[in-house]
Structures are given as structure tokens and as C-alpha cells.
Amino acid sequence: MLTEKGLWTRLRTRLIFTGPTLFAFATVMIIPFLYGIYLTFTNWDGIAIDQSFVGWDNYISVFKDTVFWKSFGMTLEYVFITVVLTNAVAFLLAYAVTRGMKAQGWFRAGFFLPNLVGGIVLGFIWQFIFNQVLVFAGQKMNLTLFSTSWLADPDKAFWALIVVTVWQYAGYMMVIYIAGLMNVPKDVMEAASIDGASNRKMLARIVLPLMVPSFIVCIFLSLQRGFMVYDLNVSLTSGGPFKSTEMVSMHVYEQAFLARDYGLGQAEAFVLFILVAAITLLQVYFSKKLEVEA
């Protein structure tokens, strides 16, 4: 049984190693988060020194803000499409580059490369592609789909955002799927092959069930990145045309910093946090039920 001196020595040792990390985490994450919740009950404009307590008025305004919920609905659609396409493309790429193809290392590096480019830079690059390269090619080759810029059309601009998102994140998710595919037991695959199972059956009956942990991680990351998209949204479309691509994160930013209603913007951010946390936790909970043991 530890004495009081022993307990103090153990506590002091742990604080020496974990204290700086805990202090940094509390300073950067916990305290700002709690202070942000406090600001949701004020009418602070982000500049003034004085803050008036307004109670639940900001939260009531959130539920009355039709623009916020329209942006959230659009974000839900964007997240659903990008999660499905990103993970489908990523898994197919991972499956292809683990089948023993030639120069598969170069293909892995090439597919992962877009994830290394920042969202702001990536948005400007693809803005040039959509406005100049594809329009030029569409007019020269008489392709109606690309004869005008996608970013100038409210419907096509939404899909342009999806295309760039999938292109950026598929390579990153591919790496996670590659790790999952490499962990599929070789003896199980060999036994199934000896029993006469086709590649399609082995994929459906063995590989996919054993890849559930990888799917959980990738879908979780895809959901998180989809809901929090901002830099790509700003640099590629700026929410246009006519706010047809203004995702909820951009709306929250504009409410807090451009409209200078920081209390309402912070309340919208907190409501968004609760909704996203609920969706991701439900995703993880139901996905865990699908896990199988090798």
C-alpha cells in the first residue's frame, strides 16, 4: 500500500511528464471551448469590451435562422455524397494497388499527393482549371458539359466542390484502406481460394467484413472533414454563385466575424458541434456492430 509520500512522488512524476501537455491542451482547447459556450449567452460583437447577458436569446435565434438551416441541409447533402464517393474511390484505389500491379508504390504516392496540398491553394488551382482549362477544352472539343465554367452555375458549382473534395481526400483514405487490406489474414484468403471461392466472393464474404474497422475510421474522418469544410469552400466558390455553395461553416464564420454578431455565431457553432458529434457518435456506434473477428 502506497504511503502519502509515495502518492505525492508518483503524482509529481506524472505531472512532470504530462503537465506541459495538459497545460497546453487546457489553454488551447478546454478554456477557449468553455469561454465560447459562455459567449453564446451574450450579445458580444467581437470588438466591444462590454458584454451583456442575453440568456437563451441567441439559441432561439439559431432555430429561427432559416439561412443557417438551409446551409446545414446543403452541408448534409454535401457530406453524404462526399463520404460515399470518397470512400468508394479510396477503397477501389487501395484494392487496385495491393493486387501486385507494377509500380504500385508510384501509384500510391501519386494518389496520396493531393492530400498534401492545402485547401486554400487547392481551391485556387481548381478554380483556374474550372474557369480556364475545362472551358477552353469544352469549347474546342464542342463539349456542352464544359463549355461554360461550372463555378458560374449554381447547380454545377456544388458538384465542382464535391469533385475537388473527393480528389483531395481519396488518397488519404486509400492509405488507411491499404493498411486494412494488408492485415487481412493470408491463410484465410488461401483457404477460400483452395475451396474454389472466386475473387468476387472473397471480396464480399471475407475482405469487406474484415475491413469494417478501416471503414469506421475512414467514414468518421470523412464526416468530420465534410462538416468542417471551410478553406476549400472559400477559395473555390466563396459560397457562390448566389450562396448556392455556402456551407454551414462559412455561414457561421460570416455571422460571427462579418456580421459582427459573435454571440449568435458562437451559438450556431455550438449547435453545429452538437449535431456533428451526435451524427459521428451514431455512425461509430452502429458501425461497431458490424465488426467481425478474423
Side-chain angles (χ1 to χ4, degrees):
M1 184 175 181
L2 290 175
T3 62
E4 182 178 349
K5 183 178 180 181
L7 288 173
W8 170 246
T9 302
R10 175 177 292 185
L11 178 61
R12 183 177 59 184
T13 303
R14 291 184 178 180
L15 286 176
I16 290 174
F17 289 99
T18 64
T21 302
L22 292 174
F23 176 77
F25 181 75
T27 304
V28 177
M29 298 293 294
I30 302 299
I31 295 176
F33 181 77
L34 296 177
Y35 183 64
I37 295 177
Y38 161 75
L39 290 177
T40 63
F41 298 99
T42 69
N43 64 348
W44 190 44
D45 61 2
I47 299 177
I49 298 177
D50 298 329
Q51 302 170 4
S52 300
F53 189 78
V54 296
W56 297 95
D57 289 354
N58 287 326
Y59 289 98
I60 295 174
S61 298
V62 170
F63 290 100
K64 292 182 178 179
D65 188 353
T66 57
V67 179
F68 171 80
W69 293 108
K70 180 180 178 181
S71 297
F72 182 74
M74 185 191 309
T75 305
L76 279 177
E77 182 181 359
Y78 164 82
V79 168
F80 176 79
I81 297 173
T82 54
V83 166
V84 172
L85 292 180
T86 298
N87 286 278
V89 172
F91 180 79
L92 291 176
L93 292 176
Y95 193 71
V97 298
T98 54
R99 302 294 291 175
M101 61 187 299
K102 293 183 179 180
Q104 64 182 21
W106 289 98
F107 282 108
R108 293 183 187 184
F111 294 141
F112 182 77
L113 187 61
N115 188 71
L116 301 179
V117 183
I120 295 292
V121 176
L122 194 68
F124 286 128
I125 292 173
W126 275 90
Q127 189 178 101
F128 173 77
I129 293 174
F130 281 117
N131 288 337
Q132 303 293 332
V133 178
L134 292 180
V135 172
F136 177 80
Q139 292 175 351
K140 288 295 183 180
M141 301 175 66
N142 197 25
L143 298 174
T144 306
L145 183 63
F146 301 111
S147 59
T148 59
S149 174
W150 281 26
L151 303 182
D153 187 306
D155 296 324
K156 293 180 180 178
F158 178 79
W159 286 100
L161 194 60
I162 290 174
V163 168
V164 179
T165 302
V166 174
W167 183 81
Q168 181 184 18
Y169 291 132
Y172 180 81
M173 304 304 168
M174 176 198 69
V175 175
I176 299 175
Y177 285 130
I178 289 175
L181 288 170
M182 298 299 290
N183 287 328
V184 174
K186 302 297 182 183
D187 53 346
V188 176
M189 299 293 289
E190 291 175 358
S193 179
I194 294 173
D195 289 340
S198 63
N199 290 332
R200 183 178 299 179
K201 283 188 176 181
M202 286 191 291
L203 176 64
R205 303 289 180 85
I206 300 175
V207 176
L208 289 180
L210 293 177
M211 287 286 293
V212 170
S214 298
F215 283 117
I216 294 174
V217 173
C218 289
I219 293 175
F220 176 83
L221 293 174
S222 302
L223 284 172
Q224 181 265 330
R225 296 186 178 197
F227 277 111
M228 297 296 107
V229 63
Y230 176 76
D231 50 358
L232 182 62
N233 196 185
V234 170
S235 58
L236 183 63
T237 65
S238 297
F242 312 113
K243 293 187 176 295
S244 60
T245 59
E246 184 180 270
M247 299 299 162
V248 67
S249 294
M250 178 180 287
H251 174 76
V252 170
Y253 173 86
E254 292 182 349
Q255 190 70 51
F257 296 101
L258 299 185
R260 292 186 179 179
D261 195 345
Y262 201 89
L264 177 58
Q266 189 67 23
E268 291 181 346
F270 186 66
V271 171
L272 176 62
F273 167 78
I274 296 298
L275 293 173
V276 173
I279 292 173
T280 51
L281 288 175
L282 287 174
Q283 174 262 319
V284 172
Y285 174 77
F286 288 109
S287 299
K288 283 287 185 181
K289 293 180 174 294
L290 300 176
E291 285 192 23
V292 296
E293 296 183 0

